[in-house]
């Protein structure tokens, strides 16, 4: 009973962020703010053109619109908090605020993993079974696929967040991160977290490993099909239809792999530098990747560029 009473005192968490490096905070505030505005602008334009232009009412652009909306939600769940921490001497967040931030971050991350695998399947059908593409990827199929991605992400987030926030926190409320990152939060618990660890391992298998394997197998078939195309022009056109998605997948999963697979430093000085590096890499994962997604899809896609141009021209004439 005494332990339960102690946990009631933890009503707020302190986010360290880059508190020990105030000069970096000022520089990163400007940098992250500019990136966040680019994210809102770039992904917002993609969402508008995929709705506005009837030529883009296809499964690929429907998934792309979902991905852009997801990136806006994902960054909006953490970036305003990070920007505020760069300006506020006392970087605190309420227990309920931490729960909401963790829930949104988990939900968006898991949803993106599944959504990228759905986009890989779409590209597989388009290249390997082009004649059956309208039948397989009908609206009755691709809309539930996207909805299923969101539902799966939300369910996973409910499970992980509820398990984490049911743990007792006995006094130590300092989170060594920019946001309520679950691994940093679990370190503060004064109870056995084996259930949380097992749950996260299972979730990683479902939402990281399985989608990666699915995407890998899909691209094995895609590449083998492209290589069998006799003309060089045909190969180029076929590969251009999936190159943007493949680039996004490499950046997304490459960053995750780098975050968790790099070796750990053992000396205290090296460990301190590594903690800073881990935070900055996490920042890269959470901000740079959503910023690059619309740029990759718009710069490499003639349909999107044409749709944006037409929208701007029509707006100009209506004014």
């Amino acid at each position: 009973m005494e332990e339960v009473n102690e946990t009631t005192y933890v009503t707020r968490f302190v986010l360290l962020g880059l508190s020990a490096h105030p000069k970096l905070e000022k520089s990163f505030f400007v940098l992250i703010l500019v990136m966040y505005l680019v994210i809102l602008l770039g992904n917002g334009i993609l969402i508008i053109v995929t709705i506005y232009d009837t030529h883009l009412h296809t499964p690929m652009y429907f998934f792309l619109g979902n991905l852009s909306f997801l990136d806006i939600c994902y960054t909006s769940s953490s970036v305003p908090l990070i920007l505020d921490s760069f300006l506020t001497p006392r970087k605190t967040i309420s227990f309920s605020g931490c729960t909401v931030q963790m829930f949104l971050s988990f939900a968006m991350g898991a949803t993106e993993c599944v959504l990228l695998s759905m986009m890989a399947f779409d590209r597989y059908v388009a290249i390997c079974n082009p004649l059956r593409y309208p039948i397989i990827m009908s609206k009755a199929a691709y809309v539930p696929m996207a909805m299923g991605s969101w539902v799966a992400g939300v369910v996973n987030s409910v499970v992980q967040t509820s398990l984490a926030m049911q743990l007792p926190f006995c006094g130590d409320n300092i989170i060594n991160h920019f946001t309520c990152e679950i691994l940093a939060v679990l370190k503060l618990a004064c109870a056995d977290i084996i259930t949380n660890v097992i749950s996260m391992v299972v979730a990683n298998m479902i939402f990281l490993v399985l989608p990666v394997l699915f995407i890998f197998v899909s691209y094995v078939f895609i590449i083998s099909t492209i290589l069998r195309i006799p003309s060089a022009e045909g190969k180029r056109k076929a590969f251009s239809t999936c190159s943007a998605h493949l680039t996004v997948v490499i950046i997304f999963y490459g960053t995750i792999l780098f975050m968790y697979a790099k070796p750990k430093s053992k000396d205290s000085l090296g460990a301190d530098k590594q903690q800073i590096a881990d935070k900055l890499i996490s920042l890269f994962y959470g901000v740079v990747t959503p910023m690059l997604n619309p740029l990759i899809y718009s710069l490499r896609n003639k349909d999107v560029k044409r749709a944006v141009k037409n929208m701007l021209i029509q707006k100009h004439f209506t004014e």
Side-chain angles (χ1 to χ4, degrees):
M1 182 63 69
E2 182 179 350
E3 181 179 300
V4 175
N5 289 336
E6 287 181 1
T7 63
T8 60
Y9 292 107
V10 180
T11 59
R12 304 187 73 81
F13 290 103
V14 177
L15 301 168
L16 286 185
L18 292 174
S19 301
H21 307 275
K23 292 182 179 180
L24 282 179
E25 285 187 323
K26 295 177 182 178
S27 301
F28 273 98
F29 174 81
V30 176
L31 181 62
I32 299 304
L33 177 60
V34 171
M35 288 182 173
Y36 183 52
L37 293 176
V38 172
I39 289 169
L40 296 179
L41 178 63
N43 286 289
I45 290 174
L46 271 180
I47 292 171
I48 292 171
V49 297
T50 54
I51 296 173
Y52 163 83
D53 196 315
T54 55
H55 295 94
L56 302 184
H57 291 177
T58 64
M60 182 176 73
Y61 294 108
F62 179 76
F63 288 132
L64 179 57
N66 274 262
L67 182 63
S68 294
F69 179 69
L70 186 150
D71 283 339
I72 290 176
C73 293
Y74 179 75
T75 51
S76 296
S77 71
S78 58
V79 172
L81 178 64
I82 294 171
L83 291 174
D84 180 67
S85 72
F86 287 149
L87 300 177
T88 309
R90 185 67 174 174
K91 312 168 195 305
T92 62
I93 183 172
S94 66
F95 192 92
S96 58
C98 188
T99 303
V100 171
Q101 195 276 321
M102 186 186 297
F103 170 81
L104 291 174
S105 178
F106 249 115
M108 299 304 107
T111 300
E112 184 159 0
C113 290
V114 181
L115 192 61
L116 287 174
S117 66
M118 295 297 100
M119 295 173 75
F121 178 74
D122 173 69
R123 293 299 84 204
Y124 160 76
V125 177
I127 293 175
C128 299
N129 294 284
L131 297 179
R132 298 189 61 199
Y133 181 78
I135 300 173
I136 298 175
M137 295 303 297
S138 64
K139 190 172 183 179
Y142 68 77
V143 171
M145 287 168 65
M147 290 179 60
S149 300
W150 285 94
V151 170
V154 169
V155 170
N156 174 61
S157 185
V158 169
V159 173
Q160 302 300 333
T161 304
S162 61
L163 285 175
M165 290 317 196
Q166 285 176 9
L167 291 170
F169 296 92
C170 307
D172 188 3
N173 65 340
I174 299 176
I175 300 175
N176 190 16
H177 212 277
F178 292 111
T179 61
C180 292
E181 200 269 337
I182 190 165
L183 295 179
V185 173
L186 289 179
K187 290 179 182 179
L188 306 181
C190 54
D192 188 4
I193 60 172
I194 186 63
T195 302
N196 302 77
V197 172
I198 294 173
S199 177
M200 289 184 65
V201 169
V202 173
N204 286 340
M205 291 294 295
I206 296 173
F207 291 97
L208 282 176
V209 177
L210 289 181
V212 167
L213 289 176
F214 186 85
I215 293 170
F216 176 77
V217 172
S218 297
Y219 273 98
V220 167
F221 285 106
I222 288 172
I223 293 172
S224 63
T225 301
I226 292 175
L227 292 176
R228 290 198 298 269
I229 298 175
S231 67
E233 181 65 17
K235 290 179 181 178
R236 187 191 65 78
K237 287 183 178 179
F239 185 74
S240 67
T241 63
C242 59
S243 59
H245 174 258
L246 184 59
T247 303
V248 169
V249 166
I250 291 173
I251 294 173
F252 181 77
Y253 286 107
T255 307
I256 295 176
L257 182 63
F258 182 77
M259 284 172 62
Y260 293 104
K262 63 184 185 301
K264 304 292 181 183
S265 177
K266 300 196 176 182
D267 63 280
S268 58
L269 182 61
D272 181 59
K273 290 181 178 179
Q274 183 172 296
Q275 283 185 344
I276 297 175
D278 288 345
K279 293 176 185 178
L280 296 180
I281 292 170
S282 176
L283 208 58
F284 173 87
Y285 169 74
V287 179
V288 177
T289 302
M291 183 187 69
L292 290 178
N293 286 352
L295 296 176
I296 292 169
Y297 277 104
S298 61
L299 291 176
R300 299 181 61 88
N301 194 299
K302 294 180 180 178
D303 292 333
V304 173
K305 288 189 285 188
R306 177 189 52 76
V308 172
K309 184 178 179 180
N310 291 340
M311 185 178 68
L312 293 175
I313 291 173
Q314 184 168 344
K315 182 180 178 182
H316 174 72
F317 281 112
T318 55
E319 291 177 352

